[in-house]
Amino acid sequence: MIKNISNLGDSALYCDFGNEVNKSINLQVIKYFKTIKEKKLKGINNLTPSYNKLIISYDLRQTNFNEVKKYIENLEIESSLKLNAKKIEIPVCCHESFSLDVIRLEKILNLSSEKILENFLNKEYFCYMTGFIAGMPFLGDLSENMRAQRLETPRVKVPKGSVGLTEQFANIYTFESPGGWNILGNTPVKVFDSSVEDKPTLINPGDTVTFKEITLDQYNNYNE
């Protein structure tokens, strides 16, 4: 449940669910996010969920901090609320041309590249949040023996579709972007498509994701 609600700038408030990053807390964030979104409270114009926080932005011409805070405090969240979460399989090619950091990971994790890939593929991931760049999913939780820090010097350009690891999370770069994640492969799937107006994001908070290895030929001939 929410630990604290505080002011964030002139027209937003900050719902704090605690400091831990785990599935149980994140599901509470998602339930509040979905309930508030469905209620369509007058004046609320944006909701931004994260691992354990929810930022609610509002229009000062229609409401204010005290009104929104009172609404959140009195909001009833159904324990049986269905999240309509999806199970999604993402193809990933781990050819050497895409697996930019596997040698670095071998040294850090003290595992062979084959074992790293085996561990990565034999895991179901939970989407905690999307962000940093549009539609980028933060997928947890990597096993302890698969966790590595970010690159000491981030890349200026990480290719679109890159699949990376950092700390307890895996992610997918939805656009070419600067970044410091350890890159294991690349997916041909469009994880974010702005041309799909109603549902541009393939992976959303609460969804579960698995990765399936494909060959370079399959990658080059992939047709969604």
Side-chain angles (χ1 to χ4, degrees):
M1 302 301 290
I2 297 175
K3 304 290 186 183
N4 184 49
I5 299 176
S6 57
N7 209 3
L8 184 64
D10 295 331
S11 57
L13 58 79
Y14 181 85
C15 300
D16 185 358
F17 291 75
N19 295 322
E20 293 182 50
V21 178
N22 60 50
K23 189 174 179 179
S24 177
I25 288 178
N26 188 249
L27 283 172
Q28 288 297 315
V29 176
I30 295 170
K31 284 183 177 182
Y32 270 86
F33 166 73
K34 288 185 175 290
T35 300
I36 296 168
K37 189 175 182 180
E38 289 172 3
K39 297 284 186 181
K40 296 182 179 178
L41 179 68
K42 182 181 177 181
I44 291 180
N45 52 29
N46 194 46
L47 300 166
T48 308
S50 69
Y51 308 127
N52 47 27
K53 308 291 186 289
L54 176 62
I55 295 173
I56 302 173
S57 302
Y58 50 86
D59 187 340
L60 282 171
R61 293 169 296 184
Q62 301 182 57
T63 188
N64 57 55
F65 171 79
N66 289 328
E67 286 184 357
V68 178
K69 182 174 183 288
K70 184 177 179 180
Y71 171 77
I72 300 303
E73 289 173 336
N74 294 318
L75 188 64
E76 292 187 8
I77 304 296
E78 296 180 23
S79 58
S80 60
L81 177 67
K82 293 184 178 180
L83 301 180
N84 297 319
K86 307 184 299 295
K87 289 190 175 184
I88 302 166
E89 184 179 80
I90 299 292
V92 58
C93 179
C94 297
H95 184 268
E96 60 183 13
S97 59
F98 294 135
S99 191
L100 307 180
D101 295 306
V102 69
I103 294 176
R104 177 178 187 271
L105 287 173
E106 282 184 317
K107 295 176 181 176
I108 292 173
L109 302 176
N110 196 28
L111 296 171
S112 68
S113 57
E114 292 79 14
K115 189 62 178 177
I116 291 171
L117 189 56
E118 177 187 332
N119 290 346
F120 175 71
L121 295 170
N122 292 334
K123 180 79 178 176
E124 184 175 79
Y125 299 88
F126 177 81
C127 182
Y128 280 89
M129 59 174 282
T130 59
F132 176 61
I133 55 179
M136 174 187 278
F138 285 71
L139 308 169
D141 293 282
L142 286 167
S143 303
E144 292 283 350
N145 67 341
M146 287 286 288
R147 299 183 183 185
Q149 297 296 316
R150 286 175 170 79
L151 303 181
E152 290 81 3
T153 304
R155 292 185 172 89
V156 176
K157 292 181 179 180
V158 178
K160 177 182 177 180
S162 291
V163 176
L165 312 177
T166 282
E167 297 168 353
Q168 74 188 72
F169 297 104
N171 81 346
I172 303 169
Y173 281 77
T174 51
F175 292 91
E176 180 180 86
S177 166
W181 291 56
N182 300 277
I183 305 303
L184 263 189
N186 195 289
T187 180
V189 170
K190 274 188 179 180
V191 177
F192 181 83
D193 187 350
S194 59
S195 68
V196 183
E197 292 185 7
D198 56 336
K199 294 182 179 179
T201 306
L202 175 63
I203 304 170
N204 292 284
D207 290 342
T208 54
V209 175
T210 56
F211 290 93
K212 178 183 178 181
E213 187 178 13
I214 58 175
T215 66
L216 184 59
D217 284 342
Q218 288 172 319
Y219 177 94
N220 290 331
N221 295 302
Y222 184 82
N223 186 14
E224 294 183 82

